[in-house]
């Protein structure tokens, strides 16, 4: 997670340098605007506006905060899972993860820790839920379809209460939001399995391979999506030109199609660029 994070930051710095030399170019810009600002944002690693004791304004790094949160979250989770309790092992670990999640939630109201550490702490129960889902996969596979529809309904209801954001640990009701988010994940996993089975049954292997390709490249897509938002003007240019001729909703739809094409090109092209491949597709690089 750290390698693609650093690689994304380096690309943003390179674009910022290019923009300094060629300020009148139409297609590239820098949201942060300076190498110092990008480095400051990268070192602090906050996904949004931060609550800090410092007087200096710290820019937010954007979507790749997730990489830092996942990195630290994985380290903490794996260390705790190495612990062994003679009695009530899983229950004891659940209690530890629950405390850490609540610490991350309440701490975020006071201060934003560097390197997205609030989010790393706040995600502990999600890591544990993922572990339980994998461990008891057969049990979840045996659940009837209506159970997953109940999971979806519970998430839909809780979503009406307000936005749940892991990035800054904002939640209208942390307990309901955690439970409903896990329920929604279970529904999406089941839906993905149903779609996958249907594609196999209908011999849609080529289409299935393309979907798997996009899934395997989700890390690269996340990083280059940030680069697109922070540094590439195509989306803005499209909206400005289309707004004068078509309804706003149609302009947004065209913009979203552009984003999908951009993401698809990332997973198609980046694996053929050696340096970028080793940064954003490390597993493929290791295999070869």
């Amino acid at each position: 997670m750290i390698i693609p994070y650093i690689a994304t930051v380096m690309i943003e710095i390179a674009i910022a340098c290019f923009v300094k030399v060629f300020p009148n170019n139409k297609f590239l810009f820098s949201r942060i605007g300076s190498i110092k600002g990008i480095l400051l944002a990268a070192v602090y690693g906050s996904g949004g506006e931060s609550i800090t004791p410092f007087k200096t304004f710290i820019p937010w790094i954007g979507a790749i905060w997730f990489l830092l949160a996942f990195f630290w979250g994985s380290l903490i989770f794996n260390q705790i899972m190495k612990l062994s309790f003679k009695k009530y092992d899983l229950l004891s670990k659940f209690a530890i993860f629950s405390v850490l999640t609540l610490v991350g939630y309440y701490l975020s109201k006071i201060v934003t820790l560097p390197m997205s550490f609030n989010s790393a702490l706040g995600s502990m129960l999600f890591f544990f839920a993922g572990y339980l889902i994998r461990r008891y996969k057969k049990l979840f596979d045996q659940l009837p379809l209506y159970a997953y529809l109940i999971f979806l309904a519970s998430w839909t209801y809780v979503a009406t209460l307000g936005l749940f954001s892991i990035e800054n640990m904002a939640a209208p009701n942390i307990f309901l939001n955690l439970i409903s988010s896990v329920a929604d994940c279970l529904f999406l996993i089941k839906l993905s399995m149903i779609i996958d089975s249907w594609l196999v049954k209908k011999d849609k292997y080529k289409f299935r391979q393309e979907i798997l390709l996009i899934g395997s490249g989700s890390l690269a897509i996340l990083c280059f999506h940030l680069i697109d938002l922070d540094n590439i003007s195509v989306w803005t240019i499209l909206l400005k030109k289309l707004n004068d001729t078509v309804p706003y909703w149609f302009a947004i739809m065209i913009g979203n199609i552009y984003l999908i094409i951009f993401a698809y090109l990332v997973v198609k092209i980046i694996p053929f660029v050696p340096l970028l491949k080793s940064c954003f597709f490390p597993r493929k690089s290791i295999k070869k």
Side-chain angles (χ1 to χ4, degrees), residues 44-50 61-74 76-77 97 100-109 111-127 164-170 174 178:
Y44 207 81
S46 176
E49 291 189 28
S50 305
I61 193 61
I64 55 173
W65 67 267
F66 173 81
L67 302 179
L68 292 175
F70 196 88
F71 172 75
W72 292 113
S74 297
I76 297 169
F77 175 77
F97 290 130
L100 290 177
T101 297
L102 291 176
V103 168
Y105 172 68
Y106 287 107
L107 195 61
S108 65
K109 298 178 181 296
V111 64
T112 304
L113 296 177
M115 308 300 272
S116 292
F117 208 74
N118 298 64
S119 300
L121 292 174
S123 64
M124 284 297 98
L125 279 177
F126 288 112
F127 278 94
F164 176 37
S165 173
I166 291 291
E167 176 263 312
N168 59 1
M169 291 308 297
I174 187 63
L178 287 170

Side-chain angles (χ1 to χ4, degrees), residues 126 129 133 140 147-159 164 176-192:
F126 288 112
I133 291 169
F140 287 106
Y148 290 94
L149 293 177
I150 293 173
F151 293 155
L152 175 63
S154 68
W155 172 83
T156 303
Y157 168 72
V158 175
F164 176 37
L176 286 178
N177 284 119
L178 287 170
I179 294 169
S180 66
S181 295
V182 173
D184 186 49
C185 289
L186 285 168
F187 170 79
L188 291 175
I189 291 169
K190 186 65 175 180
L191 180 62
S192 299

Side-chain angles (χ1 to χ4, degrees), residues 11-227:
I11 291 172
E12 292 224 359
I13 289 174
I15 293 174
C17 292
F18 179 88
V19 171
K20 288 287 185 184
V21 178
F22 303 100
N24 296 323
N25 83 90
K26 294 182 179 180
F27 296 103
L28 292 176
F29 69 99
S30 175
R31 172 180 63 85
I32 296 176
S34 68
I35 295 173
K36 179 182 177 181
I38 294 171
L39 290 174
L40 186 60
V43 170
Y44 207 81
S46 176
E49 291 189 28
S50 305
I51 304 172
T52 71
F54 312 118
K55 293 182 180 179
T56 304
F57 171 73
I58 300 175
W60 52 89
I61 193 61
I64 55 173
W65 67 267
F66 173 81
L67 302 179
L68 292 175
F70 196 88
F71 172 75
W72 292 113
S74 297
L75 286 180
I76 297 169
F77 175 77
N78 289 330
Q79 290 304 311
I80 292 173
M81 289 304 293
K82 288 179 182 178
L83 300 176
S84 180
F85 299 92
K86 292 182 179 180
K87 287 186 177 182
Y88 310 112
D89 184 67
L90 280 181
L91 188 61
S92 300
K93 289 171 182 175
F94 170 73
I96 295 172
F97 290 130
S98 297
V99 170
L100 290 177
T101 297
L102 291 176
V103 168
Y105 172 68
Y106 287 107
L107 195 61
S108 65
K109 298 178 181 296
I110 303 169
V111 64
T112 304
L113 296 177
M115 308 300 272
S116 292
F117 208 74
N118 298 64
S119 300
L121 292 174
S123 64
M124 284 297 98
L125 279 177
F126 288 112
F127 278 94
F128 190 60
Y131 167 80
L132 293 178
I133 291 169
R134 186 172 181 179
R135 177 168 176 172
Y136 298 105
K137 181 179 180 299
K138 291 183 179 180
L139 175 63
F140 287 106
D141 287 344
Q142 293 171 1
L143 290 177
L145 184 59
Y146 69 80
Y148 290 94
L149 293 177
I150 293 173
F151 293 155
L152 175 63
S154 68
W155 172 83
T156 303
Y157 168 72
V158 175
T160 62
L161 302 179
L163 181 66
F164 176 37
S165 173
I166 291 291
E167 176 263 312
N168 59 1
M169 291 308 297
N173 187 311
I174 187 63
F175 300 104
L176 286 178
N177 284 119
L178 287 170
I179 294 169
S180 66
S181 295
V182 173
D184 186 49
C185 289
L186 285 168
F187 170 79
L188 291 175
I189 291 169
K190 186 65 175 180
L191 180 62
S192 299
M193 292 170 64
I194 292 171
I195 293 172
D196 185 61
S197 299
W198 182 83
L199 290 173
V200 172
K201 186 178 179 180
K202 296 295 182 179
D203 294 327
K204 306 287 185 179
Y205 290 105
K206 287 186 178 180
F207 182 66
R208 180 174 180 268
Q209 285 303 115
E210 293 301 314
I211 293 177
L212 292 174
L213 175 68
I214 293 172
S216 66
S218 57
L219 174 61
I221 290 172
L222 171 70
C223 295
F224 278 89
H225 176 59
L226 175 69
I227 293 168

